[in-house]
Amino acid sequence: MAELAGKTALITGSSRGIGAAIAKDLAANGASVIVNFHSNETAAKGIVAEITESGGQAVARQADVSDFDQASTLIKNIKKEFGRLDILVNNAGTTRDNVIMLMKEADWDLVINTNLKSAWNCSRAAARIMMRQRNGRIINITSVAGISGNAGQSNYSASKAGMIGLTKSLAKEIGPRGVTVNAIAPGFIPTDLTNDLIEDLQDTIIELTSMRRLGAPEDIAHLTTFLASDQASFITGQVIAVDGGMVL
């Protein structure tokens, strides 16, 4: 398939997990992909190698996108290198779980900055480019925790709920210039970020889903590719749960 041929896509935090699956799927559909990483260069280069060996186009670029200047510079350099930016997937994220009475301020700040501020940083920089192009796709990877909340994750749930608000506001702001903004809310998807939690609660989690199974990173990737395509040009401001019917 070459649905995204000629498109340039940045996926933040894409050296592993859901982000890596998204990068590979976008590349398989013709996009030139920028695999962003904060610290794990080896893993990022491994994803780039997988993509290029399969005939796709990808490069790895380091930046801490929770830092305003680094995020802005990353996107400015992408514009210089590729001439455009068509797709931004705000996927960078982390967790620091605890009940609120025991949660440290530093753990609140880290999660809010990594998950929410990074999405704002990158969206602000990308929106300028996409609005001038009069075309673009911003896709925010939020979570069902941002819809329903989750005990012991006040920082994570708040950051993901914030991404939903960001999605809806931006969709209204930049839609007139041909830029769509949508959010995907995964359920419990086995990744490095969630493996410990899923292992402890796997049976309970499966019981909560209508499909009676866990999802996979590729489930998120396939929807991302659709939302990035021209087929989704009239879809914006939406929050789509990919959770096997966990939050209905």
Side-chain angles (χ1 to χ4, degrees):
M1 292 178 66
E3 175 69 27
L4 302 177
K7 305 289 188 181
T8 299
L10 166 64
I11 307 93
T12 67
S14 50
S15 64
R16 61 181 182 172
I18 290 173
I22 291 171
K24 289 187 279 189
D25 204 66
L26 291 175
N29 283 276
S32 297
V33 166
I34 295 92
V35 176
N36 162 249
F37 67 98
H38 180 194
S39 57
N40 198 338
E41 182 176 9
T42 300
K45 287 185 173 179
I47 299 303
V48 168
E50 283 188 53
I51 290 170
T52 55
E53 287 167 8
S54 299
Q57 298 182 48
V59 296
R61 293 292 181 266
Q62 191 280 333
D64 176 2
V65 289
S66 70
D67 180 273
F68 180 84
D69 290 336
Q70 289 191 45
S72 299
T73 299
L74 171 68
I75 290 174
K76 185 185 299 182
N77 288 340
I78 288 170
K79 175 66 166 62
K80 287 180 181 177
E81 183 175 355
F82 293 90
R84 60 189 300 111
L85 177 61
D86 303 283
I87 302 157
L88 167 65
V89 183
N90 287 310
N91 170 75
T94 192
T95 58
R96 291 294 187 277
D97 297 347
N98 215 329
V99 294
I100 195 166
M101 293 80 71
L102 300 178
M103 185 177 290
K104 298 175 181 177
E105 180 185 8
D107 289 340
W108 169 271
D109 290 344
L110 176 67
V111 171
I112 294 296
N113 288 337
T114 302
N115 299 0
L116 178 56
K117 188 169 187 287
S118 67
W120 184 84
N121 288 341
C122 292
S123 295
R124 184 180 186 276
R128 295 173 180 270
I129 298 169
M130 293 177 178
M131 289 173 72
R132 291 192 191 101
Q133 294 172 172
R134 291 191 170 272
N135 186 270
R137 302 283 186 268
I138 297 176
I139 302 161
N140 295 320
I141 307 302
T142 178
S143 169
V144 293
I147 299 172
S148 63
N150 204 24
Q153 288 192 313
S154 60
N155 51 3
Y156 184 77
S157 297
S159 71
K160 294 300 187 177
M163 291 180 77
I164 291 172
L166 176 65
T167 297
K168 293 178 179 291
S169 293
L170 285 183
K172 292 180 178 180
E173 283 186 23
I174 62 181
R177 293 295 186 96
V179 184
T180 68
V181 189
N182 291 289
I184 300 173
F188 285 101
I189 306 292
T191 66
D192 290 346
L193 196 64
T194 60
N195 273 343
D196 291 342
L197 177 63
I198 288 176
E199 186 174 343
D200 292 341
L201 301 174
Q202 181 165 308
D203 291 341
T204 301
I205 293 167
I206 291 173
E207 188 65 26
L208 288 172
T209 68
S210 298
M211 304 300 295
R212 295 297 189 267
R213 66 175 178 85
L214 297 175
E218 290 71 24
D219 294 319
I220 313 305
H222 297 326
L223 177 56
T224 303
T225 296
F226 169 69
L227 290 175
S229 73
D230 290 341
Q231 296 174 25
S233 63
F234 202 55
I235 301 172
T236 196
Q238 301 305 303
V239 182
I240 305 173
V242 183
D243 63 352
M246 182 177 177
V247 176
L248 296 173

